[in-house]
Amino acid sequence: MTSQVPQIFDTQRRRALQQRIASGPHLFALQFAAEELCDRATGINRHFAHGLIIAPKILHKDFHERLKEQCQTLSYIDTGTDDFDPEVWTFAAQHFDLLIICGVLHCVNDLPGSLVQIRDRLQPDGVFLAALAGGDGLSALRQSFIAAESEITGGTGAHFHPSLMLPDLAALMQRAGFALPVVDIESLSARYQNLRDILRDMQAMGEANCLQQRHRRPLRRDVLQQAEQLYRASTPQADDRLTVRYDILFATGWAPHDSQPKALRPGSAQHRLADALGTTEISIPDAD
């Protein structure tokens, strides 16, 4: 019997949010993520035969301009299309040697399974690059909503997605079988007049709540006002603006290939680190 993957996210809601993404100043985080992914791809000294870019449609042109010279063929998928499901990959195995995903993966119910399918779609020694929301940048904002709603209504619901942390992403990349996996985090700060503007920006970026157990009714005004007061108190500023930190996780991994560097087995070193550093080696006795 196979275990059932918990359906945390509403896939139809996720698609609808992605379809609403439009141009504007709110795109700064997505544009930063796309630019960073392009920098990492162009930093690989290699020409790719078959590349696939999965990103909001409004970013496709940016990817094309940066990567068209490095890839013989480039295919694009809009994260908001009804035909795209990041949990069910219908592409042939070992088809792409470059696969880039900007966003979406932090709203996938079966992320471990998705990563395995992505690795299987890469040719041997093909590379996977991804950017997704995560980290604890919104933790203070999340806590402010929880405290405000608990105080006013006596209960609380989920207003924000659970955050994927960097160590968790690293473990998932290894578990999926990627070779030479690397993960890191970049943070962006933005300043707003009020909490309503923050929520408007997040929705415009496609990052509004798409949890299955989300509130289906509009946010109460008194809860919003109290949450803003609590957030202002927890993040004091020199002026009256609110500062929000957006954390973006980046992942790089390769489909395994015999030509890739392999870790040496323990004890196989031919030279001592102490000699290289010009210092004296001090032995530590074994614990009893």
Side-chain angles (χ1 to χ4, degrees):
M1 179 185 299
T2 58
S3 59
Q4 184 71 25
V5 175
Q7 297 300 294
I8 300 173
F9 298 103
D10 183 336
T11 56
Q12 291 184 345
R13 166 74 170 169
R14 182 192 65 220
R15 290 194 191 103
L17 291 171
Q18 292 289 310
Q19 290 169 359
R20 297 175 193 168
I21 297 176
S23 61
H26 56 269
L27 279 182
F28 67 94
L30 282 171
Q31 289 172 331
F32 172 83
E35 186 70 20
E36 185 68 21
L37 288 170
C38 288
D39 286 345
R40 295 173 188 227
T42 55
I44 300 171
N45 186 20
R46 177 174 166 183
H47 188 81
F48 298 101
H50 303 290
L52 175 63
I53 310 297
I54 299 174
K57 186 176 181 179
I58 198 167
L59 298 177
H60 289 185
K61 182 179 179 181
D62 296 337
F63 279 105
H64 184 76
E65 290 300 318
R66 289 289 308 277
L67 301 178
K68 62 182 179 181
E69 301 298 330
Q70 195 176 4
C71 298
Q72 181 177 340
T73 60
L74 268 175
S75 301
Y76 298 89
I77 293 179
D78 177 12
T79 51
T81 182
D82 293 337
D83 297 329
F84 172 63
D85 185 348
E87 298 186 58
V88 181
W89 289 74
T90 58
F91 299 103
Q94 300 186 1
H95 185 71
F96 303 102
D97 53 357
L98 173 66
L99 202 160
I100 297 177
I101 301 181
C102 185
V104 175
L105 287 181
H106 59 291
C107 300
V108 171
N109 289 303
D110 184 15
L111 183 53
S114 295
L115 290 175
V116 170
Q117 293 183 76
I118 291 168
R119 185 212 64 205
D120 289 344
R121 269 63 190 174
L122 288 173
Q123 299 172 8
D125 205 34
V127 64
F128 165 59
L129 298 166
L132 58 156
D136 60 358
L138 297 177
S139 60
L141 189 60
R142 182 182 290 106
Q143 292 302 319
S144 297
F145 268 101
I146 292 174
E149 195 165 34
S150 297
E151 178 182 327
I152 293 175
T153 69
T156 186
H159 293 281
F160 297 92
H161 302 162
S163 289
L164 181 67
M165 297 300 176
L166 198 64
D168 300 322
L169 181 58
L172 289 175
M173 291 288 288
Q174 290 181 319
R175 176 180 168 184
F178 283 100
L180 311 173
V182 176
V183 298
D184 62 285
I185 187 169
E186 297 284 350
S187 298
L188 300 174
S189 293
R191 309 190 72 205
Y192 297 90
Q193 291 286 356
N194 52 56
L195 189 53
R196 192 178 299 276
D197 287 345
I198 297 174
L199 299 180
R200 186 180 298 116
D201 248 19
M202 293 181 66
Q203 184 166 11
M205 287 189 288
E207 294 299 328
N209 194 345
C210 66
L211 293 169
Q212 288 278 12
Q213 300 301 321
R214 68 186 182 276
H215 283 302
R216 308 289 172 143
R217 56 185 181 277
L219 184 65
R220 286 177 48 165
R221 180 177 299 179
D222 54 353
V223 172
L224 181 64
Q225 292 173 343
Q226 180 65 3
E228 180 170 326
Q229 291 181 11
L230 293 173
Y231 189 65
R232 288 185 183 277
S234 66
T235 56
Q237 300 294 322
D239 55 21
D240 197 41
R241 288 179 174 267
L242 298 174
T243 299
V244 175
R245 192 185 87 218
Y246 297 102
D247 289 342
I248 304 173
L249 306 184
F250 291 91
T252 303
W254 300 77
H257 189 267
D258 291 340
S259 66
Q260 294 166 348
K262 303 292 191 300
L264 297 175
R265 67 180 186 277
S268 62
Q270 300 297 314
H271 303 281
R272 298 189 314 143
L273 179 61
D275 294 338
L277 297 176
T279 186
T280 303
E281 182 176 328
I282 301 175
S283 298
I284 300 176
D286 296 335
D288 294 334

